[in-house]
Amino acid sequence: MITTDIEFIQECLTRGEIVGLPTETVYGLAANIFDEQAIARIFQTKNRPNSNPLIVHVPSYEHARDLVKFFPPKAEHLAKYFWPGSLTLILPKQAHVLDAVTASQPRVAIRIPNHPIALQLLEKLAFPLAAPSANPYNRISPTSAQQVDFYFPDIHTLDGGECTAGLESTILSFEEDEVVLLRHGAISVSDIERQVGRILNRTSHSESPNSPGRNKKHYSPICDLIVTYEPLFMLSAVQEKKVGILWYDEVKIESQKVHINRVLAPTSSLQEAARNLFKYLHQMEQMGLDLIIVERLPDQGLGRTINDRLERASVK
Ligand code: TXA
Ligand code: MG
């Protein structure tokens, strides 16, 4: 059920319900961080393993400070520069942050979303919100209230329009003086490095399976997906399949074999591509395709995040 009534959503959350929450990245499935039962319901509803911790959403830097022991200097600089925004920081948690939220880890993931309605709601509430992306485990993240409602028709979703970023937040942790990238996201590595210098990339380390979006398979449509610089070459290799092609900035060649062509970013803007990616993948998976072939994007800026998501979506 979709609503625009913020007070109603505030009441739902206060009595322990989980709700669909708009943010600028993707929609979240949100609950009171201090309500153990509501947190448990998030995991059940998403069919997500309890070992995979949740991101906490707060309305201000001061609220974030109340939940953590300290901000390392680089974390403080990044928070002050990018918040509200699509950057999640992993910081040492205070004792009152529930183990259920952090999956018993000593650190908590926090961000201030850059979305006027989410901020309005967070400011009204007496507690922060834990919110993973509002998709069943391993499915495509939703970028509209309609898409949340498609996945979870029984919960109330606050409509905040289409997400302006369209990709999940970038996740960083801190080790001594180092900044460590755990998940590519809506803020590019180059934008972060402009603030704090070189950062370490741990996005493909496999030793801790429950770390951010690092499960190899993730973000998947229900049909097969291939990402390639040569969609037409791939097309020539597949037989008798209902195929869709998702192009970067133009349809390079029309083919009778293709059921549908979509273009991510007619202006070649990577931001535009990011905004459309999950929306178009969701639309295409609903068409009953056997296969989506996606043209690989330039491997720079947000292109890296998009390619990362596509590679994970292509794992069977
Ligand atoms: O943009 C976003 O980040 C969205 C919106 C709703 O804020 N949220 C989101 O949440 O993408 P989720 O749960 O789908 O992905 C969060 C990732 C998970 O892979 C989780 O493992 C990681 O963050 N994470 C959360 N807390 C952590 C912690 N304490 N230590 C390490 N990783 C953590
Ligand atoms: Mg997710």
Side-chain angles (χ1 to χ4, degrees), residues 203-234:
T203 57
S204 53
H205 280 217
S206 56
E207 62 266 32
S208 45
N210 293 317
S211 298
R214 284 198 272 175
N215 286 348
K216 245 195 135 222
K217 179 179 168 58
H218 213 109
Y219 316 105
S220 310
I222 42 189
C223 58
D224 287 346
L225 184 145
I226 293 174
V227 51
T228 171
Y229 282 119
E230 300 286 350
L232 289 171
F233 177 73
M234 275 295 160

Side-chain angles (χ1 to χ4, degrees), residues 174-225:
F174 301 86
E175 286 173 15
E176 302 187 353
D177 201 35
E178 301 283 1
V179 180
V180 181
L181 178 71
L182 297 181
R183 177 174 77 180
H184 284 286
I187 293 181
S188 70
V189 170
S190 38
D191 283 351
I192 291 163
E193 290 189 330
R194 220 165 282 130
Q195 296 307 313
V196 289
R198 287 308 288 257
I199 66 175
L200 302 178
N201 184 337
R202 297 251 179 84
T203 57
S204 53
H205 280 217
S206 56
E207 62 266 32
S208 45
N210 293 317
S211 298
R214 284 198 272 175
N215 286 348
K216 245 195 135 222
K217 179 179 168 58
H218 213 109
Y219 316 105
S220 310
I222 42 189
C223 58
D224 287 346
L225 184 145

Side-chain angles (χ1 to χ4, degrees), residues 48-290:
R48 171 177 174 125
N50 290 340
S51 55
N52 197 348
L54 307 179
I55 297 177
V56 172
H57 298 72
V58 292
S60 73
Y61 180 74
E62 288 66 38
H63 283 83
R65 284 220 72 121
D66 290 343
L67 300 175
V68 306
K69 288 193 178 135
F70 60 91
F71 272 72
K74 284 182 181 170
E76 182 176 344
H77 176 77
L78 289 166
K80 291 196 167 148
Y81 189 83
F82 286 108
W83 284 354
S86 314
L87 183 68
T88 295
L89 304 178
I90 311 264
L91 300 166
K93 81 175 186 79
Q94 296 259 27
H96 65 287
V97 177
L98 295 178
D99 281 344
V101 171
T102 65
S104 302
Q105 301 199 38
R107 297 181 303 166
V108 59
I110 305 193
R111 79 182 189 99
I112 306 179
N114 187 16
H115 189 293
I117 292 172
L119 287 172
Q120 226 175 304
L121 175 66
L122 284 164
E123 271 155 19
K124 282 173 181 284
L125 291 166
F127 44 80
L129 293 176
S133 54
N135 49 287
Y137 190 59
N138 275 344
R139 296 284 298 279
I140 298 167
S141 299
T143 54
S144 66
Q146 289 69 26
Q147 205 175 322
V148 180
D149 199 54
F150 170 86
Y151 287 140
F152 303 116
D154 297 337
I155 71 160
H156 295 286
T157 295
L158 180 58
D159 193 350
E162 283 197 15
C163 300
T164 51
L167 295 170
E168 297 87 347
S169 59
T170 305
I171 303 185
L172 301 176
S173 70
F174 301 86
E175 286 173 15
E176 302 187 353
D177 201 35
E178 301 283 1
V179 180
V180 181
L181 178 71
L182 297 181
R183 177 174 77 180
H184 284 286
I187 293 181
S188 70
V189 170
S190 38
D191 283 351
I192 291 163
E193 290 189 330
R194 220 165 282 130
Q195 296 307 313
V196 289
R198 287 308 288 257
I199 66 175
L200 302 178
N201 184 337
R202 297 251 179 84
T203 57
S204 53
H205 280 217
S206 56
E207 62 266 32
S208 45
N210 293 317
S211 298
R214 284 198 272 175
N215 286 348
K216 245 195 135 222
K217 179 179 168 58
H218 213 109
Y219 316 105
S220 310
I222 42 189
C223 58
D224 287 346
L225 184 145
I226 293 174
V227 51
T228 171
Y229 282 119
E230 300 286 350
L232 289 171
F233 177 73
M234 275 295 160
L235 187 65
S236 65
V238 298
Q239 299 292 327
E240 299 162 4
K241 285 204 167 175
K242 193 169 170 188
V243 181
I245 302 189
L246 188 53
W247 299 91
Y248 168 33
D249 53 359
E250 59 177 346
V251 178
K252 302 256 162 59
I253 293 184
E254 301 272 1
S255 160
Q256 293 283 37
K257 275 181 83 176
V258 179
H259 183 73
I260 173 140
N261 284 293
R262 294 301 300 257
V263 177
L264 272 178
T267 65
S268 303
S269 143
L270 292 170
Q271 242 135 4
E272 185 184 24
R275 216 166 29 239
N276 289 329
L277 179 72
F278 289 152
K279 176 166 77 175
Y280 287 0
L281 285 178
H282 181 70
Q283 287 172 359
M284 290 172 88
E285 75 170 3
Q286 293 314 306
M287 290 174 181
L289 300 175
D290 298 309

